Amino acid sequence: MHNQTIPQGKLVIQTVAMPADTNANGDIFGGWLVSHMDMGAGIAARRRSRSRVVTVAINSLTFIKPVSVGDTVCCYAELLNIGRTSMQFKMEAWTISLNEDIPKKAAEGIFIFVAINNEGKSQPVDR
């Protein structure tokens, strides 16, 4: 799944990896990357359902390459499936370094969201 050369899906979030986001090895902390992928998936889920959403699962998350300080991190969302109250997105995180213009995939995974109402109860995606 991760041998492609261009991102799949829509760009939903873009940011720069900063020194404060590093782990003990000097690379960007994996949890930081996952949180941005989750935020991007949440943005896509909110747009699709036009409601509040919550993350209910992250499946098959794979880290492909380290993210370095200064890299631009771009998260892409592709809607895979819509259930009655849930949505499944394939998320890809790509990086662009200062020294190269070629994006490289850093991580990918499947994120599942549920649409909720103002009381926090699940509701149909398509109302």
Side-chain angles (χ1 to χ4, degrees):
M1 189 157 66
H2 59 264
N3 291 333
Q4 71 204 61
T5 57
I6 60 170
Q8 302 296 304
K10 293 182 181 179
L11 179 65
V12 287
I13 196 166
Q14 185 171 275
T15 190
V16 175
M18 302 298 282
D21 306 316
T22 59
N23 61 25
N25 299 318
D27 298 316
I28 297 303
F29 177 58
W32 179 89
L33 185 59
V34 173
S35 71
H36 282 78
M37 294 171 74
D38 186 43
M39 191 179 312
I43 289 168
R46 284 172 48 131
R47 283 183 188 155
R48 176 56 183 86
S49 66
R50 287 177 271 150
S51 71
R52 294 175 59 198
V53 296
V54 293
T55 309
V56 294
I58 299 173
N59 296 337
S60 68
L61 184 62
T62 304
F63 294 101
I64 299 163
K65 72 169 225 52
V67 177
S68 300
V69 171
D71 284 355
T72 299
V73 176
C74 307
C75 296
Y76 295 84
E78 179 182 2
L79 181 60
L80 297 179
N81 190 35
I82 299 173
R84 190 177 79 75
T85 63
S86 65
M87 296 156 283
Q88 182 181 56
F89 293 88
K90 177 183 175 197
M91 292 300 298
E92 297 180 355
W94 289 70
T95 63
I96 303 169
S97 73
L98 285 174
N99 302 328
E100 298 180 20
D101 288 333
I102 301 168
K104 295 181 180 167
K105 191 189 293 189
E108 64 186 6
I110 305 297
F111 288 67
I112 301 169
F113 282 77
V114 167
I116 61 171
N117 63 22
N118 289 333
E119 288 76 46
K121 305 286 185 194
S122 63
Q123 68 179 9
V125 172
D126 294 319
R127 299 175 298 292

